[in-house]
Amino acid sequence: MEFLKAPTLLLVIFSLAICSPISAQNKGGYWPSWAQDFLPPSNIQTAYFTHVYYAFLSPNNVTFQFDVDRTTASALNSFNTALHGKNPPVKTLFSIGGGSAGVKQLFSKLASSPGSRAAFIRSTIQVARNYGFDGADLDWEYPETQTDMNNFGLLLDEWRVAVNNEATSTGKPRLLLSAATRHEPEVRDNGVAKYPVASINKNLDWINAMCYDYHGPWTPDATGAPAALYDPNGSLSTSNGLQSWISAGIQRQKLVMGMPLYGWTWKLKNPSVNGIGAPAAGIGPGNEGAMLYSEVQQFNAQNNARVVYDTQTVSYYSYSGTTWIGYDDVNSVQRKVQYAKSLNIGGYFFWTAVGDQDWKISRLASQTWTA
């Protein structure tokens, strides 16, 4: 989840042994700190969200604690003052990590010993309380080995105990805990590493499954649907990911479906061959091939692009000349939200809330979920 990675987060379940009830709905949106200049938190339309995530903070790679400088402290205070003061107010969480370089290795080291886990957990609670957050979201992209996954589970176990104990001793509401995860309960970077579903069920309020980035600059030779609901040629899809989590035993209300408010671009080899899977010659325009949803709409209008809704994948693509863009739009988002509701899962989230155009997609998703 860096600029567009996704993503990539939390209600409480056991009090000491049993957490408090989980919310009936979760409509999340990530707000990246780089968006301050064009969409400050005060401009977020909170009627369409229940939870907004500040992205990102990362702990020190030696002490495993957060070093919050004066500028960041001011930004965190402003974020929470704005969103808690909105009508309606929303829950706020700070998301930890993201998809930037080195974060994966940092978390692997952090989770590997009791001492580093304890230092990190203490610091997350301090940051949440000092700056007014309702919880914290762990965005580890991704634990690569089964050892990492096991340590991830231990971290969650210890985090939940610490959060419960802090709430009991202070009388404050328990902090929410969530995690951004892969779209399915396995990571296959180095063999097969499986998420600790039992620990997730016991300790997290929900997970934000990043159901996007199935295709992008890392697949430069052919166009693809970045966040297909269905994959007619395989299993790389949101439906397969969500069903896999359910089959792995996750409690349905703790599963939250991610959707992208951005698209990925390719350069077509032959403009006459322009469907999903068309031969490509690398990435197209945008920020390293990425375009916010609002930028996709501007591109389509300015270039008289052909817009296609693909019923097989439940996704959109557009093309003009050699530029091809895969993304989600109104119809595909509505279909995805309806699908998530049919599974009786906990809700959905967007990476990122700032990508929308006049809140069109956010409004539609919210209305569809509550209909």
Side-chain angles (χ1 to χ4, degrees), residues 234-256:
S235 60
L236 192 56
S237 67
T238 294
S239 59
N240 182 72
L242 296 177
Q243 294 282 3
S244 296
W245 274 107
I246 293 168
S247 296
I250 195 167
Q251 296 172 16
R252 289 178 185 250
Q253 285 295 301
K254 294 190 178 185
L255 178 60
V256 176

Side-chain angles (χ1 to χ4, degrees), residues 63-277:
T63 66
F64 306 109
Q65 301 178 60
F66 294 92
D67 301 322
V68 180
D69 59 28
R70 183 175 300 178
T71 300
T72 302
S74 177
L76 299 179
N77 282 322
S78 296
F79 177 84
N80 283 306
T81 298
L83 290 172
H84 286 151
K86 298 278 284 187
N87 185 18
V90 294
K91 298 292 186 183
T92 63
L93 305 98
F94 67 101
S95 189
I96 306 163
S100 59
V103 171
K104 181 186 303 185
Q105 294 76 15
L106 167 63
F107 280 131
S108 180
K109 184 179 178 183
L110 181 159
S112 65
S113 75
S116 54
R117 292 194 299 266
F120 169 75
I121 289 167
R122 284 194 302 270
S123 191
T124 61
I125 294 172
Q126 290 169 354
V127 168
R129 295 308 192 193
N130 288 345
Y131 301 103
F133 286 97
D134 298 294
D137 174 64
L138 182 64
D139 188 3
W140 181 349
E141 300 182 28
Y142 299 102
E144 285 188 312
T145 66
Q146 195 56 50
T147 297
D148 278 345
M149 288 295 191
N150 295 341
N151 289 337
F152 178 77
L154 292 174
L155 175 61
L156 300 186
D157 290 340
E158 294 162 9
W159 209 358
R160 170 55 62 195
V161 169
V163 162
N164 284 349
N165 288 343
E166 188 269 346
T168 299
S169 65
T170 64
K172 296 178 180 178
R174 281 184 298 275
L175 294 171
L176 306 174
L177 296 180
S178 70
T181 68
R182 201 163 182 270
H183 74 285
E184 60 183 354
E186 297 180 349
V187 175
R188 302 183 187 90
D189 292 341
N190 294 307
V192 177
K194 297 183 178 182
Y195 278 97
V197 175
S199 179
I200 288 171
N201 281 336
K202 179 182 176 183
N203 299 304
L204 291 180
D205 298 306
W206 65 81
I207 61 167
N208 286 332
M210 291 184 276
C211 299
Y212 42 79
D213 288 352
Y214 306 143
H215 301 275
W218 51 94
T219 56
D221 298 331
T223 64
L229 180 57
Y230 303 108
D231 180 0
N233 301 311
S235 60
L236 192 56
S237 67
T238 294
S239 59
N240 182 72
L242 296 177
Q243 294 282 3
S244 296
W245 274 107
I246 293 168
S247 296
I250 195 167
Q251 296 172 16
R252 289 178 185 250
Q253 285 295 301
K254 294 190 178 185
L255 178 60
V256 176
M257 174 188 69
M259 294 183 287
L261 279 173
Y262 64 93
W264 288 113
T265 72
W266 284 262
K267 182 179 180 180
L268 293 170
K269 281 190 174 181
N270 180 355
S272 298
V273 182
N274 46 47
I276 292 176

Side-chain angles (χ1 to χ4, degrees), residues 4 217 263-266 283-291:
L4 295 168
W264 288 113
T265 72
W266 284 262
I283 64 174
N287 184 345
E288 297 183 342
M291 280 190 183

Side-chain angles (χ1 to χ4, degrees), residues 1-6 32 34 262 287 290-292 295 351-352:
M1 284 188 183
E2 188 56 27
F3 168 51
L4 295 168
K5 296 186 178 74
W34 50 256
Y262 64 93
N287 184 345
M291 280 190 183
L292 298 175
E295 295 172 334
W351 177 266
T352 75

